[in-house]
Amino acid sequence: MGTHRDAHIVWDWNGTLFHDVDAVIGATNAAFAELGLEPITLERYRELYCVPVPRFYERLMGRQPSGAEWELMDATFHRYYTEHRVRCGLAEGVVELLAGWASAGRSQSILSMYGHEDLVPLVGDFGIDAHFIRVDGRTGPSGGSKAEHMVRHLGALTGVDPARTVVIGDAADDALAARHVGAQAVLYTGGSHGRASLEAVGVPVVDTLREAVTEAERLTSA
């Protein structure tokens, strides 16, 4: 699609554009059940969630999971999530926000830690793929940080300036990945983190994606 020298948004997928929090909590509790752990509430999840994900499990278990435990929980999580994601949809107002940003001549892309081979057709199923100049999901093992993936993602975007790029996501790791490449970030409370843990990162925190886009416009208007 050529070069894009105006403001750019890198969207997160899970918990941001894709409102899948119910499936995530259900999958997490299914994984916990494999080890006999008590189920977790959404509030508790948002209080403790972090990456790398084994660290999140350590916070809940009081110890680091063994390699075998991690593999079992990870496989259970993804099996349950795949079964239940079909009940999930886009967050409120997503289609209009994506179209509005694109119609202003600005570019946007998706970088997710969801598996690439699952992500690309899912975005296409919602009919929104034409709004993005690139869609990247995770390649390699799950559970890690987004920072190095962000380096590769922005490196593949022709003419996108990191200094005029805003990452919009629902996790502290999204802001850390943005910082890693010299981009800015806006964090959204509708996904994996509660407001308190997001505000501790030191970037704008919003309750709706409409507010997130407004903040992205403000951050790139200078």
Side-chain angles (χ1 to χ4, degrees), residues 167-183:
V167 177
I168 298 178
D170 67 315
D173 190 53
D174 291 301
L176 298 178
R179 191 174 299 161
H180 187 67
V181 296

Side-chain angles (χ1 to χ4, degrees), residues 28 67 70 79 88 103-104 114 128 171 176 182 189 219-220:
T28 300
W70 160 248
R79 183 173 63 251
C88 303
S103 69
Y114 191 43
I128 58 173
L176 298 178
T189 62
L219 290 170
T220 57

